[in-house]
Amino acid sequence: MGTEQPPTTVHRDDLADRTDAVRSAVPDAAATPGPVVVPPQPVPVLGEDLLVLGLDVGGTTIKGEITDASGTVLAAGVVATPQGAAAFETMGALGDRLLAELTDDQRDRVARAAVLLPGIVDPVRSIAVFSSNVGWRDVHIGDRFTRRWGMPVLIEHDVAAAGWAEWRYGAGRGHDDVCVVILGTGISGTLSVGGRLVRSGYGQTGEYGHIPVRHADGLRCPCGNIGCVETVASGAAIARAYAQRTGHETASAADVFALLDTDSDAKAVVGEAISALADGLLGLIHAGCPELIILGGGLAGAGAALTEPLQHTIAERLRVVPAPRVVLGEFGARAGLIGAALFARQGALR
């Protein structure tokens, strides 16, 4: 997964199509009788001697690994992500290649796989509903990977699995109330309350990047709204704001953070980004009262230059609920792959 984000940023003329795609993915109990969606049976946790295959599908690359129970990587690969439904053939081929690298004994011990997908995902019906970045819509995955690889294959949303992994096994382990924020090209994340992962009715996770925080004077977001968090606090937004302010282009937000000690313009741009991110998280903090906010994704590479001022800004603005600690994720750019492996091994986002 790395800095790859689910394609929550769509053009305004795509918004109605996306809404229709979401609605079509959710069974309507009041609708006329049709095919019944049977909830999946509980999937058992795998034994310590068994191996798993995990794929993390992003907008630019597909990463795959085969790991054992300790997390040791036995085979790994990365390929470019093709546009459209062709990406699913590439996923299958990458899985084939990784399995072929194993010994016969290791191959016999690969018991389950997990494929993490961006965009809107219906894991119950095994459908990749919509991805604007990769360009697929209503792809029925069904048992194509199960038949191809000869094992059970689970499908899940990439940020859901990555955030769950950071909460359960990474920086959030031992805490019941945790918000994971993935910061990169876009901004999204997960929320766990009372020891349970909060999911929408159609399985999505937190679209934190599309919370409007600059209504009066903000930039128009590609989603159609004005002043969304992503327009100020995403990696792309920080690099863009610095270029507009100084006339000097930077390759990424990391370059802007690197200038904080010597450049007042960089300090101002990063300060505004942190302020907008804090504003976007305040409602979530009041509603869920997380103990921890865990930062992941490419922008989290800024380290204390991001966590410390964000912690301070959030604490300054809270009055009736305690301020959560802001920490870095433990898994970094590998959160998606680790999430895929753990999901495959556990059988559910437990």
Side-chain angles (χ1 to χ4, degrees):
M1 184 176 111
T3 59
E4 295 295 337
Q5 299 299 308
T8 55
T9 303
V10 295
H11 293 292
R12 188 178 182 87
D13 56 3
D14 288 338
L15 199 55
D17 289 342
R18 173 179 168 157
T19 303
D20 291 343
V22 172
R23 288 173 178 161
S24 70
V26 184
D28 183 357
T32 54
V36 176
V37 178
V38 180
Q41 296 301 306
V43 180
V45 178
L46 293 180
E48 294 289 307
D49 59 324
L50 299 176
L51 309 178
V52 295
L53 165 63
L55 295 188
D56 178 23
V57 181
T60 56
T61 62
I62 302 170
K63 305 178 184 72
E65 288 182 350
I66 295 174
T67 55
D68 65 13
S70 70
T72 300
V73 179
L74 305 176
V78 181
V79 295
T81 306
Q83 281 291 298
F88 292 90
E89 173 57 30
T90 301
M91 296 174 213
L94 177 58
D96 293 345
R97 192 181 92 198
L98 297 180
L99 291 168
E101 293 178 13
L102 302 179
T103 66
D104 290 343
D105 173 67
Q106 290 172 332
R107 177 64 182 87
D108 290 342
R109 290 191 290 124
V110 182
R112 192 183 292 152
V115 178
L116 306 186
L117 303 172
I120 301 171
V121 183
D122 182 350
V124 173
R125 297 192 294 174
S126 195
I127 299 173
V129 179
F130 180 69
S131 169
S132 61
N133 282 355
V134 186
W136 65 55
R137 181 187 295 276
D138 293 328
V139 178
H140 290 253
I141 300 166
D143 64 351
R144 71 170 71 190
F145 295 136
T146 296
R147 286 185 284 106
R148 182 166 188 160
W149 298 331
M151 69 186 76
V153 180
L154 305 176
I155 305 297
E156 190 46 272
H157 186 273
D158 57 354
V159 172
W164 164 79
E166 276 288 7
W167 164 47
R168 281 296 198 199
Y169 302 95
R173 62 185 175 277
H175 297 274
D176 286 339
D177 305 295
V178 173
C179 174
V180 178
V181 184
I182 307 297
L183 301 161
T185 305
I187 299 173
S188 56
T190 60
L191 177 65
S192 306
V193 178
R196 300 185 65 180
L197 187 66
V198 177
R199 305 289 293 269
S200 75
Y202 55 93
Q204 291 300 97
T205 51
E207 302 282 10
Y208 307 145
H210 293 288
I211 299 172
V213 291
R214 298 293 181 265
H215 308 272
D217 57 356
L219 298 174
R220 182 171 293 279
C221 179
C223 78
N225 222 326
I226 300 291
C228 290
V229 173
E230 275 186 20
T231 66
V232 187
S234 68
I238 290 171
R240 180 179 62 240
Y242 182 79
Q244 290 174 343
R245 187 181 180 99
T246 65
H248 301 301
E249 297 287 337
T250 60
S252 68
D255 294 335
V256 181
F257 273 92
L259 296 171
L260 283 178
D261 291 338
T262 59
D263 189 325
S264 60
D265 290 312
K267 191 172 296 186
V269 168
V270 169
E272 174 59 12
I274 289 170
S275 177
L277 181 58
D279 286 343
L281 293 173
L282 286 179
L284 184 74
I285 294 168
H286 281 91
C289 295
E291 307 162 72
L292 288 179
I293 293 178
I294 300 173
L295 304 183
L299 207 55
L306 176 61
T307 57
E308 290 179 5
L310 180 60
Q311 170 102 51
H312 177 74
T313 303
I314 288 173
E316 257 190 343
R317 298 178 186 181
L318 292 176
R319 296 291 182 271
V320 297
V321 298
R325 286 194 299 124
V326 180
V327 301
L328 295 175
E330 288 188 9
F331 299 146
R334 286 183 47 75
L337 280 170
I338 291 172
L342 289 169
F343 176 45
R345 186 161 294 280
Q346 294 294 316
L349 302 185
R350 309 176 196 273

